[in-house]
Amino acid sequence: MERRNPYVILGVPYGASRDEATKAFARRGKSLRRQGERGRELLTDLSWALSEIENGPPDRAADATVYRLPAEPEPREAGVFAPPPEQFATTAEELEAALRLLQMRAAHEHLRQMMLDRSATLPPPGP
Amino acid sequence: MWLGGGGATDRDWCRSCGATAVGVSLRCPACAVPLDAPDPAPAARGDGSLGARRAAAIELAAGPGGDLGGLGLTGSETAWYVARGAALRGDVRELLRCLEGLPAGGYPGLVELLLHRFAEISGDPEHAARAVALLVPFGDGVLEARAMRVALDAAPSRAALVVLKPYARLAGAAHEPVAATVAHRRRLPARATDRLGPAVRVLDACVGGLAGEPVADPAVLDELPPAVLDELIRTGAITAAVVPDDAEDPDDDTGGGDGPGAAVAFLRYRLAPEAVDDRVLRAAGLHAELARRAYLADDAGQLRSLPDADAGVRHYRALLTYHRSGRIDKDDLRPEALATILAADELGPPFIGTRPASATVAADPSCWPALRANALDEKIRIGEETRIGYPRFALWLDLCALHRPLREGRWGDAEQDARRIAAAGDASPSTRAEALNVLAYAQWQLRRPEEALRSLDGALAVRPSAGLAINAALIAADDGAAALPYLARAMRHARTPDTRRAVLAQAIDLWRADARVDGYPPDLGAMVRAELAVPRPDDDYHRELLLLALRHDRAWLAQASLRMLAAGNDLQAVTVRYHRGRAGLEADLTASGLYQCADALAVLCRPAPAPDWVLAERDWLVGRLWAALRTDFARVGDFGPAVIALAGADVLDLAERLRLSAATGAYLADAARQRHRAMFPESERKLLFEPAELFRRSYHGLSGEDRQQIGDAFAVAMPKALLSVTLAARERAGTPQYEPLRQRCRTYVELAESLARLGRRDGAP
């Protein structure tokens, strides 16, 4: 069995930062001070756990000697805070407007073409 | 039509097109209008009839600079004739100037004049704008005027669609089918492909695409607006196969033209959003997606650089601000996101007591990590309705709550709850795997390691990860090296180099500490091999791995290719070469192995002082070279190049260098003599001539013992070498090789005498 796991003792996830560990220590230590002898023992445990995390390697990924709870960081699932790639839900109005634009471009171009053709084939204007 | 003076003369002119003709023709050969007499002289004097003066005006206006002032015509009429003449000559600037002098809308023939020069006018924006101004007074009543006004507008408008079909009827039957298909968004007739402009073709391809026909022409893709591209992708008319690949990268500025542009960049994104990089997004103008990526990368600078006008950019800026400071910008956040953020903000920061989780938060897993601290402290309640509606969230919350029994050492409670969560049908793979992980921890603490390992095996089957494998290894380590297979697994799943290194270090420690393990475990060997295949910046770590392989996996190392032995820098590359050569030498003493090691070691010794391990390896290699001198030449081969490489790198002490060179020279001379040959001249020079000369020069700086030993070495080497060269020369008498061999004999004699003189002065026999 694992003798002691500083993260479990402090109640923080494996890989928690020193800052998170310190906050957890403060939160848990507050209530223990009123619990007499047992409270003092638990406070000693918390102090040990905090110092383990503070003095441990900054990158916990490079430590294979402590049981990991959780085993892996939570997967980043899609949502407001992990937004998926931007979607383009084209509305019927937008599509119609785009088609109308293409149609106008084609009409404009063909109108010019007709005028060029007519200009080339009509006789010169009389006085 | 007004008729000017009549009759053909010796120089006739066409009042219609301005052409002149000499001869007897009564009609213009160009446009078939009756020809007129040219002489404007009487009219120019102002004394002709109105008809004659008008005829004269036409005649004078036909050429540039004609003075119509004396004809007694009104200003407008004069301007009209000049304009007409300019139109016939192709002088568009003069044409427009004169037409602008006419009463607005007063001369309907103006439209015809402008049409006559439509090509020039439409090709110049300034001319086009002036022509449009001249056409405006005619309103929409004159079709030609209206159509020309629309055609000359720089931007297409709805009016183009209105006049298209009526004008096609005026322009001729050939134009009507195309006009009708454009007006009604139909496919073009099969034969209507001549002289069609690109916009008509694009519309046609688009109409076909919407009907399900593939759109494959990149030129068409580039002209389609995003909404149409989107719709065509949805209908399947555009697939990834038709989108130009990197050969037409939007950022390609290597002379390949303008690239595919925004449309193709958009398509690439739309078809594979995660595959495109920021350059493509910029080319497509997808600022919101750029902002999303900057938010995920926590890059406020990049977010600031994006345009304010884009609502998506403002949203992601506000989201990052909330992420960093907790400040909620209600104006810029998207409404649907704002509701979630407000709900999450109720439960994320520290608070006193407990609070209920809303359905909004329960529905969005991206919120949950922010709630973890309060969830671990069981401050977040979940109502029955939310529990039923969002079972995944409920299980996640239950999983967080497991940490209290773990913290308090209530292993039985933790085991029971973890088992229930792992068995829940609604649990996601990650929740199930983590529940099994907690279960294993509780079982381990209850001193049931076999069960704990079974739980972790189950978790690894659900969702393999380095963390689970490391945990399994920790439990298995109670049984020593039994943890190695789990550590090997952890290494395969590790995402960072540091994790891999930590796992390997743990494996090595366990292996070394377990006295029961006999030999080099295959799992550990596989881990070391895998780690050697990845470049590492740490030279010491790299060499440590090579040493492990050299000591325990020699056959593999000797045969390993450079692909299997990555090097993070030049030093590591040489170190790899040395160790690979050495692995080969340990198995078999060969000339090529000796040379490979000597050559690499010569490089490794270059930085002075050389590291201790390099010096130790040098001594080892010298030992192998002396061993080679005691071995049959037929087995080892010519290892002279190895000695030369080592001696040339100045890594040996002088006495040893001279002794080794002389001994090797003697060895090779013997071998050459047995084969009825002389030594290679290059070997002879580097192993005997140059060292002998160096010995002579350095003689007085050497100790007596060194002098004695080196002198003895040369005393053995020189006669052997001389003998081999002499015999070779004798066998080659009368050939071109004879004289050079004789010369080499003389050199030996001279060197031997010179060394003998040194020895005699020193009292040697």
Side-chain angles (χ1 to χ4, degrees), chain B residues 665-683:
Chain B
Y667 179 87
L668 296 179
D670 252 353
R673 184 178 53 77
Q674 284 163 21
R675 288 175 292 142
H676 302 279
R677 291 180 184 170
M679 281 171 71
F680 288 120
E682 179 70 2
S683 300

Side-chain angles (χ1 to χ4, degrees), chain B residues 23-108:
Chain B
V24 295
S25 178
L26 294 175
R27 287 182 177 275
C28 173
C31 62
V33 169
L35 296 169
D36 291 326
D39 183 13
R45 290 192 297 273
D47 54 1
S49 66
L50 179 61
R53 280 184 282 131
R54 284 176 171 167
I58 293 167
E59 171 72 2
L60 286 168
D67 180 10
L68 278 66
L71 293 175
L73 299 174
T74 65
S76 298
E77 200 173 2
T78 301
W80 168 253
Y81 287 126
V82 175
R84 184 176 172 280
L88 296 179
R89 286 198 311 279
D91 185 347
V92 176
R93 197 167 292 283
E94 177 71 354
L95 165 69
L96 293 169
R97 189 188 66 76
C98 294
L99 293 181
E100 283 162 354
L102 296 174
Y107 279 72

Side-chain angles (χ1 to χ4, degrees), chain B residues 90 97 323 334 344 449 488 522 529 564 582 598:
Chain B
R97 189 188 66 76
H323 182 68
R334 289 171 174 162
R529 289 180 188 186
M564 297 153 85
R582 187 176 162 173

Side-chain angles (χ1 to χ4, degrees), chain B residues 533-598:
Chain B
V534 186
R536 294 276 173 256
D538 186 338
D539 294 341
D540 291 339
Y541 177 58
H542 181 251
R543 202 176 71 78
E544 197 181 324
L545 296 175
L546 281 172
L547 270 180
L548 261 177
L550 179 64
R551 285 179 193 147
H552 306 288
D553 205 0
R554 199 172 295 148
W556 171 81
L557 182 61
Q559 299 300 322
S561 68
L562 289 178
R563 187 178 55 78
M564 297 153 85
L565 295 167
N569 52 44
D570 291 347
L571 176 66
Q572 289 183 14
V574 182
T575 310
V576 162
R577 220 150 34 89
Y578 176 77
H579 284 84
R580 198 169 53 157
R582 187 176 162 173
L585 272 187
E586 296 267 12
D588 193 11
L589 191 63
T590 61
S592 63
L594 287 167
Y595 177 73
Q596 193 179 345
C597 284

